[in-house]
Amino acid sequence: MTVIDQWTGRHARALQAAMRLTGEAFAEHLGISPRTVAKWRKRPDMVPSPQLQEALDTSLHLASPEAQSRFAASLGVPQPELSALDDSMVDQLNAAVGELSRILAALRTADVQMAGRAVGSSETPGPP
């Protein structure tokens, strides 16, 4: 996750955009007035108060992974690449899934057979 040492109006606006909130909704989310959010638009170098810095930290931390990714991208932070599975890993996973399927089928068969025996043994013998 991206860490901001000192928030500015530019960072706050980037977080707002990443969270896809209007100025009013972002202000409400942070518990501040919409005027403050408007000031960040006009003065992108403005540094919010320490309390707002904490609120912005918390908002970023609690944002969805998609919003965090959009935020980092808007700041030009390189995103880690997802490693692709190579063919041998895919083959191993497919083999494991196939083996699990066979085991589950065998367990189901065993359950049905045991249930049939239980029904057969629970029958009371009739008169001779």
Side-chain angles (χ1 to χ4, degrees):
M1 181 176 76
T2 304
V3 175
I4 303 298
D5 292 328
Q6 183 175 37
W7 287 86
T8 64
R10 182 177 76 87
H11 294 115
R13 297 275 298 149
L15 180 58
Q16 174 191 343
M19 295 175 74
R20 297 184 173 160
L21 295 174
T22 65
E24 293 79 18
F26 192 55
E28 185 176 324
H29 172 77
L30 294 172
I32 60 175
S33 74
R35 272 183 54 183
T36 302
V37 175
K39 283 182 187 177
W40 292 336
R41 186 179 322 114
K42 292 178 184 175
R43 297 178 50 204
D45 294 329
M46 178 181 169
V47 176
S49 70
Q51 294 82 8
L52 278 177
Q53 297 265 338
E54 288 181 34
L56 290 163
D57 284 339
T58 301
S59 292
L60 176 58
H61 179 73
L62 296 176
S64 70
E66 294 82 12
Q68 290 180 9
S69 180
R70 287 190 297 268
F71 176 73
S74 73
L75 298 179
V77 175
Q79 296 296 300
E81 292 184 27
L82 297 176
S83 61
L85 295 175
D86 65 17
D87 288 340
S88 67
M89 292 171 80
V90 172
D91 290 342
Q92 289 175 359
L93 287 170
N94 283 331
V97 168
E99 184 64 24
L100 286 172
S101 295
R102 285 188 289 281
I103 291 169
L104 286 172
L107 287 172
R108 285 188 196 112
T109 302
D111 283 347
V112 168
Q113 289 173 350
M114 290 177 69
R117 288 186 197 137
V119 169
S121 67
S122 65
E123 293 178 9
T124 56

